Amino acid sequence: MARLSAAVACLALLASCSDGPATTPPGAFIPPPIPMVEPGAQGEGEVNLVVWAGYAEKSWTDPFTKTTGCKVNAMVAGSSDEMVADVKSGQYDVVSASGDASLRLIASGDVAPIDVGKVPSYAQIYPSLKNKSWNSVAGVPYGVPHGRGANVLVYNKDKVKSPPTSLGAVFDPDPTVAGHVTVYDSPISIADAALYLMHDQPGLGIKNPYALDRPQFDAAVALLTKQQPAVGSYWSDTAAQQADFEKGGDLIGTSWQVVLNGLAHDNHKEITSIKPVEGVTGWSDTWMIAAGAKNPTCAYKWLDYITSPAVNAKVAEFFGEAPANSQACAKTTDPGFCATYHADEEAYWDNVWYWTTPTTRCLDGSDRTCVPYSEWVTAWNRIKQK
């Protein structure tokens, strides 16, 4: 209940921030006046993290502690909503926020701008990941990009009759896979439906799957509602989704590379993936420092360490994502890793729509009024209950 209350409060604040004063240019976002977090001369002895599973393993946290004297205390969150609520508790210094959480944290004043000049590894981050709508505001960075991934279309090639090429395979599925479609359990999945409609129904005028006016939003919700009877599982746990694919409960749906890694490890060669013709949604995680961080010096040390070439490469290989540090590919154990994950292939990411929190002021910069994330949450809960 505490997490729910915190999330609701954050959503309300995001809506009000995104409305802004009457003189604010369309699409502009004005964050609360949170001062930049600054490190001190000496480390505090510890740093408290909220992370995705696999981002703070002992094989790289122990060397960090030995080198810096900062003990790592990590809490694993199961969803972006959990991350937001955990940061709001005031118990954590750093969070590895995805794009569907980062803007909420900026809007609520729970994370602060950072001085990237004090994070040496920031200079090595791919330029295409810097100064984006989910990690910066008006050119001011609120964190350091960590990695990125695409929400690819995964399917069982032994069970799915025709190899899919389009997102239509999950939004207008073949009757033979009815009850076996798997969908990521998050309001941000509405963007997947919007991306499909952007190509399938161009008359709707969708230009950005996170910037939906009322008719566009209603069309995406209607598509997901129509899809619901074919859905066998709404997943949020990668291990659970992997198990469902292995048992045959899931036959087709959106997934992450980490699931494919696990399936390949278990020798399930019948499960494969494609990038649909429409492109895909995706994510780019950002290491952010809490506005009230009690250990800011250790927090800065962590941001620099975890995004440094060798460590960023190690985490990327462990988790299954493209590293954000442009020098990390030279440090991977597998020499073909970055080619597999398209780390240096900027053209691959051109039609990957990274998660970004929807706001009332349309993120595409138009003068339209868009549906804010709070209504995405309400709609998503209704979709699943149909």
Side-chain angles (χ1 to χ4, degrees), residues 14-63:
L14 180 56
S16 64
C17 286
S18 61
D19 285 340
T23 56
T24 301
F29 170 69
I30 301 177
I34 302 298
M36 182 177 290
V37 173
E38 295 284 358
Q42 294 183 330
E44 299 84 3
E46 66 176 356
V47 62
N48 301 306
L49 316 177
V50 181
V51 298
W52 292 117
Y55 275 17
E57 300 298 301
K58 285 180 64 63
S59 62
W60 50 86
T61 59
D62 284 353

Side-chain angles (χ1 to χ4, degrees), residues 54-56 60 146 306 310-321:
Y55 275 17
W60 50 86
H146 167 84
I306 198 65
V311 183
N312 197 222
K314 185 179 292 188
V315 181
E317 284 193 281
F318 181 86
F319 185 79
E321 63 186 344

Side-chain angles (χ1 to χ4, degrees), residues 10-322:
C10 181
L11 293 173
L13 181 54
L14 180 56
S16 64
C17 286
S18 61
D19 285 340
T23 56
T24 301
F29 170 69
I30 301 177
I34 302 298
M36 182 177 290
V37 173
E38 295 284 358
Q42 294 183 330
E44 299 84 3
E46 66 176 356
V47 62
N48 301 306
L49 316 177
V50 181
V51 298
W52 292 117
Y55 275 17
E57 300 298 301
K58 285 180 64 63
S59 62
W60 50 86
T61 59
D62 284 353
F64 171 76
T65 299
K66 184 177 180 179
T67 301
T68 66
C70 300
K71 178 184 177 183
V72 177
N73 306 307
M75 165 68 75
V76 173
S79 69
S80 287
D81 287 346
E82 284 188 16
M83 281 190 172
V84 170
D86 286 338
V87 174
K88 290 183 74 66
S89 74
Q91 300 177 51
Y92 300 95
D93 304 301
V94 175
V95 58
S96 61
S98 294
D100 59 332
S102 51
L103 191 58
R104 282 188 273 167
L105 290 168
I106 294 172
S108 62
D110 286 302
V111 294
I114 66 167
D115 184 349
V116 295
K118 295 176 180 176
V119 183
S121 61
Y122 187 82
Q124 302 163 350
I125 300 298
Y126 287 106
S128 60
L129 291 176
K130 296 179 180 179
N131 196 26
K132 298 302 178 182
S133 60
W134 61 86
N135 58 32
S136 303
V137 178
V140 178
Y142 276 74
V144 180
H146 167 84
R148 54 183 165 179
N151 299 322
V152 294
L153 185 58
V154 177
Y155 68 100
N156 186 319
K157 62 184 180 182
D158 292 344
K159 301 291 185 180
V160 176
K161 289 183 176 180
S162 300
T165 59
S166 165
L167 287 170
V170 292
F171 290 116
D172 186 19
D174 187 281
T176 59
V177 299
H180 300 282
V181 175
T182 179
V183 177
Y184 183 52
D185 188 2
S186 170
I188 209 67
S189 288
I190 294 173
D192 290 275
L195 178 58
Y196 173 65
L197 291 172
M198 184 161 60
H199 294 265
D200 186 64
Q201 298 184 29
L204 287 169
I206 298 174
K207 303 299 183 184
N208 181 321
Y210 307 104
L212 306 178
D213 59 28
R214 182 61 60 184
Q216 294 168 344
F217 179 78
D218 289 347
V221 170
L223 181 62
L224 287 159
T225 302
K226 179 183 176 182
Q227 177 200 48
Q228 196 271 347
V231 176
S233 66
Y234 290 99
W235 69 276
S236 59
D237 184 293
T238 55
Q241 192 195 37
Q242 178 181 328
D244 284 341
F245 268 112
E246 290 178 346
K247 293 182 295 185
D250 290 344
L251 297 180
I252 189 169
T254 51
S255 188
W256 299 345
Q257 188 63 46
V258 65
V259 175
L260 287 166
N261 288 355
L263 290 164
H265 180 269
D266 291 349
N267 203 33
H268 282 272
K269 297 180 180 179
E270 75 279 11
I271 311 299
T272 188
S273 70
I274 64 149
K275 186 182 181 187
V277 294
E278 299 89 353
V280 292
T281 58
W283 42 267
S284 173
D285 295 340
T286 304
W287 289 104
M288 311 180 88
I289 300 179
K294 298 178 178 64
N295 305 293
T297 306
C298 283
Y300 265 90
K301 290 179 181 294
W302 174 259
L303 263 61
D304 183 51
Y305 171 81
I306 198 65
T307 58
S308 62
V311 183
N312 197 222
K314 185 179 292 188
V315 181
E317 284 193 281
F318 181 86
F319 185 79
E321 63 186 344

